[in-house]
């Protein structure tokens, strides 16, 4: 089974604007998911999905938070397995390249790992499809 889910997107926005959107809890809550989050190493964060998405709780610890690289553990509900989510931004003139990697999914094991991989892939696609609208200043509903 593939253990690294990778998403790459180019945004027509400066790197600092994209960085703010993915690292500040108040910003994350507007486009992604209700977030108690700080981009500080060691911070224990919590994301809470909307009722429509099952009110799922996601928790973890920020592992790395350097300008333009963010990494945190990812644990869904009471699941015993933690995976890792990494965001890397790269300035490309007036645009920003975002590279998202979600790894460790194979630790879930068996058919559940394949289902989780597919679920995470669709979820990240949904999130990353909302982010450009948010960055453009358009009214958005959180993806989750």
């Amino acid at each position: 089974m593939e253990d690294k889910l990778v998403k790459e997107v180019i945004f027509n926005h400066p790197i600092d604007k994209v960085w703010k959107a993915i690292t500040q809890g108040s910003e994350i809550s507007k486009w992604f998911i209700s977030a108690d989050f700080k981009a500080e190493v060691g911070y224990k964060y919590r994301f809470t999905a909307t009722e429509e998405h099952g009110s799922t709780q996601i928790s973890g610890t920020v592992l790395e938070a350097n300008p333009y690289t963010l990494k945190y553990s990812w644990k869904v509900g009471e699941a015993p397995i933690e995976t890792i989510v990494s965001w890397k931004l790269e300035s490309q003139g007036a645009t920003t390249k975002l590279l998202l990697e979600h790894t460790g999914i194979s630790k879930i094991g068996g058919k559940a790992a394949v289902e989780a991989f597919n679920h995470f892939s669709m979820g990240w696609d949904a999130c990353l499809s909302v982010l450009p609208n948010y960055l453009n200043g358009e009214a958005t509903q959180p993806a989750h």
Side-chain angles (χ1 to χ4, degrees):
M1 176 193 155
E2 179 67 33
D3 193 46
K4 186 190 307 188
L5 194 157
V6 179
K7 305 291 179 179
E8 186 175 308
V9 183
I10 304 292
F11 296 104
N12 292 320
H13 297 280
I15 195 168
D16 288 328
K17 185 171 187 172
V18 179
W19 180 249
K20 181 179 175 184
I22 68 169
T23 60
Q24 293 185 6
S26 60
E27 301 297 311
I28 296 166
S29 296
K30 293 174 185 173
W31 67 272
F32 176 25
I33 192 168
S34 177
D36 171 5
F37 188 89
K38 292 182 184 174
E40 298 172 2
V41 172
Y43 189 80
K44 306 276 188 209
Y45 76 88
R46 180 169 302 277
F47 294 153
T48 305
T50 61
E51 197 172 305
E52 176 185 337
H53 289 95
S55 302
T56 303
Q57 297 277 317
I58 299 163
S59 60
T61 304
V62 176
L63 305 171
E64 186 176 345
N66 300 316
Y68 316 131
T69 301
L70 176 66
K71 181 190 261 185
Y72 45 83
S73 60
W74 177 276
K75 183 178 172 191
V76 179
E78 298 301 317
I81 304 296
E82 281 190 340
T83 57
I84 303 294
V85 174
S86 301
W87 304 76
K88 293 182 182 168
L89 302 182
E90 182 182 314
S91 182
Q92 298 184 326
T95 66
T96 300
K97 180 172 98 173
L98 180 148
L99 179 66
L100 171 82
E101 293 183 354
H102 194 153
T103 59
I105 301 166
S106 66
K107 293 187 295 186
I108 295 168
K111 185 178 177 183
V114 174
E115 290 171 1
F117 186 91
N118 292 333
H119 179 76
F120 291 150
S121 183
M122 288 186 300
W124 289 121
D125 285 343
C127 295
L128 294 173
S129 71
V130 172
L131 185 52
N133 298 335
Y134 174 73
L135 293 169
N136 288 334
E138 299 169 15
T140 60
Q141 292 292 324
H144 293 287

